[in-house]
Amino acid sequence: IINRGRSGTIGIGIAPEAFANSQPGWSEGSYGFHGDDGNLYHLHGFGCAWGFPFVDGDVIGFLYNHNERRIYYTRNGKVLGIAFTDVRLPLDETTFSVGLHSPKEEISINFGRKSLFCKV
């Protein structure tokens, strides 16, 4: 997280390829961890308390284990735990998703070119 912006409404997760114009976790088939409140979201805009709000400088990691059907998140190199279980998403129709929702939010995304903070 380079700059959490005015509200820090940054969502990180996974969604169907056709997903657009919404935060991850706010609609069917999507899952998200949100930086404004640290909540987990799935299917709608009502989250479950889980973590802490993101701050500038945080490195948030996303891990989807298709075989175990689980989603994990990391924060600054530490595994936060299992966020979602029994995740049933077709890999060929699913994509990583990030939602930025308030002015001045800025992030950097690493798809593996830089070394990771933790080994899972």
Side-chain angles (χ1 to χ4, degrees):
I1 309 297
I2 296 170
N3 185 341
R4 65 185 308 275
R6 185 178 71 203
S7 302
T9 330
I10 300 167
I12 299 172
I14 194 168
E17 284 183 347
F19 179 83
N21 297 321
S22 185
Q23 289 281 65
W26 282 2
S27 59
E28 187 173 349
S30 69
Y31 298 81
F33 177 32
H34 291 204
D36 59 325
D37 55 17
N39 289 350
L40 296 176
Y41 290 82
H42 175 56
L43 297 176
H44 50 72
F46 302 101
C48 295
W50 190 68
F52 298 95
F54 303 165
V55 298
D56 291 353
D58 272 348
V59 176
I60 306 298
F62 171 85
L63 303 100
Y64 174 43
N65 186 318
H66 182 70
N67 293 329
E68 293 179 5
R69 301 192 181 281
R70 294 179 177 172
I71 293 174
Y72 303 80
Y73 287 93
T74 64
R75 183 176 185 176
N76 301 324
K78 296 183 182 183
V79 177
L80 298 175
I82 299 169
F84 298 100
T85 60
D86 200 33
V87 176
R88 299 184 181 274
L89 296 172
L91 288 177
D92 60 340
E93 299 172 16
T94 305
T95 187
F96 175 73
S97 177
V98 174
L100 304 177
H101 201 74
S102 72
K104 306 224 183 237
E105 292 173 346
E106 184 180 356
I107 63 169
S108 174
I109 298 175
N110 174 12
F111 288 105
R113 292 213 171 237
K114 295 180 184 175
S115 63
L116 300 175
F117 279 110
C118 64
K119 294 181 182 178
V120 179

